Amino acid sequence: MSHAHVTQAELSRAIRNIPDFPKPGIQFKDITPVLADARLFAGSIELLAGKYQPGDVDSVVGIDARGFIFAAAVALRLKAGFVPVRKKGKLPYQTHEESYDLEYGSNTVAIHTDAVSKGARVLLVDDLLATGGTAAAAVSLIDKLGGKILEISFLIELAALSGRSKLKHHPVRSLIVY
Ligand code: AMP
């Protein structure tokens, strides 16, 4: 298929840097040009799925909100279920919650208590690894449910923020590192 040739360099060229969004000092990585290009979008999903094949994974967990786009497509590709980790207050059923510190204040994410079965083989997917607080909170939620995390994959990693150091207990893979 035509997306078989998508390279990390091509994805990197398509990602748009928006300085000072949403506030001064942030270099926002805009992934919408990747999503809008059929070939790049399909290629990014192939690369995020990595070595895994249908049958290898039970659940792909995605993080609110851009993570959902990639994780849902990876789940479909791997014939796995999709599970959302959402911002607090959005999930309707019983939840577990996990809070983590931001530069100013804190954030809380949640998962349905029955979303991942004990022992399920899980891939955790998000668009971008920055400080790692969000992904680490998602890891805690999956751990609480007894899911077995095979790998955590990101489209983009901002290496200077050392997010990997918060995810030491699992393999971390990112397609593009800045
Ligand atoms: P963190 O918890 O610091 O690793 O932040 C990761 C989350 O924040 C991801 O879900 C990203 O979508 C978002 N994020 C953080 N920094 C950026 C950035 N520079 N550009 C785009 N999204 C970002």
Side-chain angles (χ1 to χ4, degrees):
M1 294 224 293
S2 60
H3 63 252
H5 304 298
V6 170
T7 62
Q8 271 123 317
E10 278 180 283
L11 292 176
S12 178
R13 279 196 295 278
I15 291 162
R16 184 157 59 184
N17 190 69
I18 312 288
D20 301 317
F21 182 88
K23 50 186 183 188
I26 305 284
Q27 302 287 325
F28 193 88
K29 303 300 179 197
D30 177 16
I31 50 91
T32 62
V34 172
L35 302 177
D37 183 305
R39 188 175 153 271
L40 293 182
F41 184 31
S44 71
I45 298 310
E46 282 302 309
L47 290 166
L48 282 168
K51 65 185 174 188
Y52 299 100
Q53 293 299 321
D56 293 343
V57 174
D58 300 305
S59 304
V60 181
V61 176
I63 303 178
D64 210 341
R66 284 177 301 269
F68 291 170
I69 301 164
F70 294 100
V74 170
L76 203 61
R77 156 84 180 78
L78 295 179
K79 301 194 189 301
F82 166 74
V83 172
V85 164
R86 296 210 64 183
K87 286 160 192 145
K88 178 187 160 87
K90 299 286 187 184
L91 287 170
Y93 181 61
Q94 292 167 18
T95 58
H96 293 303
E97 293 182 353
E98 189 71 31
S99 298
Y100 57 98
D101 292 330
L102 300 173
E103 198 179 355
Y104 301 103
S106 71
N107 219 359
T108 303
V109 289
I111 196 167
H112 275 153
T113 53
D114 63 352
V116 172
S117 322
K118 205 170 162 60
R121 298 160 300 168
V122 172
L123 282 188
L124 176 59
V125 173
D126 201 4
D127 65 325
L128 186 142
L129 173 61
T131 66
T134 312
V139 166
S140 299
L141 292 173
I142 296 163
D143 284 349
K144 205 170 277 182
L145 297 181
K148 187 175 169 300
I149 298 172
L150 303 176
E151 187 175 87
I152 310 172
S153 35
F154 300 94
L155 189 69
I156 302 164
E157 175 177 358
L158 305 181
L161 298 175
S162 311
R164 262 176 201 262
S165 66
K166 291 208 182 78
L167 305 172
K168 281 196 208 91
H169 302 294
H170 305 285
V172 173
R173 203 164 53 85
S174 22
L175 304 185
I176 298 155
V177 181
Y178 290 101

